[in-house]
């Protein structure tokens, strides 16, 4: 099983079981995960993104070689963010990057994002965009961060046909009712994880609206209980081939660039 | 289709095996599911969010998903619409009728809980009598009203609940981005519960912002924490057990707007003893409902 939505280190407003990389790896292995795509919570809050990515790569190597796959952080509103992309790709050898536009203060129609997506597509880097991290109703009152509005992607995605984009934490708070979400879902180069997919029958609905090949397993662990995503798959009543595709095959194809 | 307990457990075992398959070949694949050892009852379920043209059809959808996760029974309330502002007596009656239709069709999988709006107390009491005293319903709520629950308007309803020994599920939220007018908080429920120490309350959602909700209700022993209807943020159930004791934590989902899966994960994924999970997933709820079920000759 491949978990495409894991984060390392501390969340500033709550101690999480599994916020130590070694403990996280041990727990995920026990839960049946064979590979986890890991970004860093630090990336949301630190301006020294290069330092964040170096620590992430080191932790993945030290605690989860052949298990934790680092996804670097890039903030296209920082000076010389292009150097962060280069280091992610050439120094840390990451297969992809994870973006947090709401925590970094830009919208998806910002020209800087288009430049970043173009650079990522050119280098063959996977791009994950986390549409939200937390229910806005429960956020720390002095740090209110609304979810990302994915609407601009409808016009942006066709400009980058070689881009492989994964939307994380889409659904309950990440734009299920956003205008143009159906166009975004129908684009051929966007995938969805299931961490914030909600409602009874929600996963089956997401598959019907997209494709069984464009839904990937993502837990948002350790912020969420891992079992939330796992039980969603179990309770969806999927055919065996779809279950395997979502829990492993689609992510593997994405990582291998075969999608 | 009506399932007996044996059928439920068989589906549960199948689900458990399926979790193993999800773990992938050649992997230790510890299934994180609750296993067949727990009897799972859900305090907080609605017909809202489940697809279907009739209450029976919507309940069938819920039952299909319950079977896959081994949920034996749900307590159903509020019918199709959780969010009616200032509901008329006709609307309240219609929603309760929908619940009773669904329960009548699946008597082994659901009990009903009466929906009331204390904006019209006299009607509330009549509806309570129709659905609970003289009808099949076994509890009160989810109360999700336009009146905050610390209002004296709630007192006659609570007194009626005490007289029949039925628990009350009260919606609560603490929103850091601004509360809705009339929406109750755990602090409001504490006021109500202190006025009625004989009553049993379940704090719906534990205020959503559960670190605050758990602290708010900690010293008021006739309030349990209902864990339904919020993101499955890790640590919720561990903190509730630590601060309240496992006997004061009650599993619920808020399905169909929420998935059974995400809400059950809060218990299944919590690092607490199995004995605590057993209480939270159903033991506590059956204890709270025991007087009501016994009085009606219903199964627990």
């Amino acid at each position: 099983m491949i978990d495409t939505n894991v984060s390392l280190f501390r969340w500033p407003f709550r101690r999480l079981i599994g916020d130590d990389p070694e403990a996280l790896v041990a727990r995920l292995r026990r839960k049946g995960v064979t590979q986890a795509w890991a970004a860093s919570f630090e990336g949301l809050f630190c301006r020294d993104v290069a330092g964040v990515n170096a620590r992430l790569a080191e932790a993945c190597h030290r605690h989860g070689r052949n298990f934790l796959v680092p996804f670097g952080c890039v903030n296209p509103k920082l000076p010389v963010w292009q150097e962060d992309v280069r280091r992610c790709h050439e120094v840390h050898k990451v297969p992809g990057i994870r973006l947090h536009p709401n925590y970094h203060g830009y919208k998806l129609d910002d020209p800087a994002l288009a430049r970043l997506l173009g650079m990522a597509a050119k280098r063959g880097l996977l791009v994950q965009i986390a549409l939200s991290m937390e229910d806005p109703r429960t956020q720390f009152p002095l740090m209110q961060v609304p979810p990302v509005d994915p609407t601009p992607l409808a016009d942006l995605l066709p400009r980058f046909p070689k881009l492989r984009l994964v939307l994380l934490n889409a659904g309950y708070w990440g734009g299920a009712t956003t205008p143009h979400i159906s166009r975004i879902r129908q684009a051929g180069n966007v995938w969805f994880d299931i961490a914030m997919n909600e409602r009874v029958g929600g996963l089956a609905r997401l598959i019907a609206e997209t494709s069984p090949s464009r839904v990937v397993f993502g837990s948002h662990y350790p912020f969420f209980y891992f079992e939330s995503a796992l039980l969603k798959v179990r309770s969806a009543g999927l055919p065996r081939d779809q279950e395997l595709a979502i829990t492993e095959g689609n992510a593997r194809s994405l990582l291998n660039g075969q999608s | 289709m009506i399932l007996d307990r044996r059928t439920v457990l068989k589906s549960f075992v199948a689900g458990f095996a399926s979790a193993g398959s999800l773990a992938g070949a050649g992997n230790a694949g510890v299934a994180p599911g609750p296993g067949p050892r727990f009897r799972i009852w859900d305090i907080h379920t609605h017909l809202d969010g489940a697809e279907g043209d009739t209450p029976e059809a919507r309940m069938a959808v819920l039952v299909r998903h319950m079977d896959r996760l081994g949920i034996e029974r749900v307590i159903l309330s509020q019918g199709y619409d959780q969010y009616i502002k200032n509901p008329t007596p006709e609307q309240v009656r219609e929603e309760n009728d929908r619940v009773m239709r669904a329960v009548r069709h699946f008597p082994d999988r659901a009990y009903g809980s009466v929906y009331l709006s204390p904006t019209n107390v006299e009607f509330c009491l009549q509806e309570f009598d129709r659905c609970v005293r003289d009808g099949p319903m076994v509890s009160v709520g989810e109360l999700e009203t336009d009146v905050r629950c610390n209002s004296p308007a709630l007192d006659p309803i609570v007194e009626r609940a005490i007289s029949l020994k039925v628990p009350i599920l009260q919606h609560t939220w603490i929103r850091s981005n601004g509360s809705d007018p009339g929406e109750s908080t755990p602090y409001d429920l504490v006021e109500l519960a202190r006025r009625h120490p004989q009553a049993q309350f379940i704090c719906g959602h534990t205020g959503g912002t559960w670190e605050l909700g758990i602290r708010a209700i900690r010293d008021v022993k006739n309030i349990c924490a209902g864990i339904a209807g919020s993101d499955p943020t890790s640590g919720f159930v561990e903190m509730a057990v630590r601060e309240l004791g496992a006997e004061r934590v009650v599993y619920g989902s808020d399905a169909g707007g929420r998935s059974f899966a995400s809400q059950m994960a809060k218990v299944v994924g919590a690092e607490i003893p199995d004995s605590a999970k057993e209480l939270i997933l159903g033991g506590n709820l059956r204890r709270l409902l025991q007087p009501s079920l016994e009085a009606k000759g219903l199964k627990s």
Side-chain angles (χ1 to χ4, degrees), chain B residues 43-46 75-79 81-84 87 92 96 113-120 123-125 127-128 132 137 139-151 153-161 166-173 182-185 188-189 192 196 199-205 254:
Chain B
I43 179 64
H44 194 143
T45 308
H46 310 294
I75 310 303
L76 199 61
S77 67
Q78 292 186 335
D81 196 341
Q82 292 175 255
Y83 304 109
I84 304 173
V92 170
N96 285 324
S113 187
V114 67
Y115 167 50
L116 302 170
S117 172
T119 47
N120 183 339
F123 167 73
C124 261
L125 297 177
E127 188 66 357
F128 180 98
V132 182
M137 291 187 166
S139 57
V140 177
E142 182 185 11
L143 296 184
E144 185 166 356
T145 68
D146 304 305
V147 178
R148 283 168 58 184
C149 68
N150 58 352
S151 163
L154 271 289
D155 290 338
I157 298 169
V158 176
E159 285 159 12
R160 194 65 62 101
V166 298
I168 300 168
L169 171 63
Q170 172 64 51
H171 169 94
T172 67
W173 259 93
E183 186 170 43
S184 299
T185 68
D188 299 326
L189 182 58
L192 181 67
H196 300 281
Q200 285 290 341
F201 297 94
I202 294 117
C203 182
H205 314 287
D254 209 6

Side-chain angles (χ1 to χ4, degrees), chain B residues 77-97:
Chain B
S77 67
Q78 292 186 335
Y80 286 4
D81 196 341
Q82 292 175 255
Y83 304 109
I84 304 173
K85 293 287 181 193
N86 296 308
T88 64
E90 291 72 26
Q91 286 175 307
V92 170
R93 201 176 290 121
E94 182 180 32
E95 297 295 4
N96 285 324
D97 285 343

Side-chain angles (χ1 to χ4, degrees), chain A residues 14 27 30 32 34 135 137 139 144 172 198-200 205 222-225 227-228 230-232 234-235 240 243, chain B residues 15 19 21-23 27 30 32 49 68 175-177 211 232 234-235 237-238 256-259 262 265 269 271:
Chain A
R14 180 180 300 133
R27 282 176 167 81
R30 282 202 300 272
T34 54
D135 183 339
R137 297 173 297 178
Q139 288 175 336
Q144 299 283 301
Y172 196 69
E198 273 292 354
R199 293 179 67 184
V200 164
R205 197 173 299 113
F223 193 92
F224 278 6
Y225 288 109
E227 287 73 9
S228 172
L230 186 64
L231 294 178
K232 284 175 191 173
R234 186 198 293 178
S235 62
R240 174 78 173 149
E243 186 179 291
Chain B
S21 74
L22 289 175
N27 194 290
V30 176
R68 292 174 186 150
R175 298 173 191 249
S176 52
N177 58 353
E211 287 112 326
S234 69
V237 168
E238 286 91 337
R258 289 281 184 172
S259 62
S262 65
E271 300 201 357

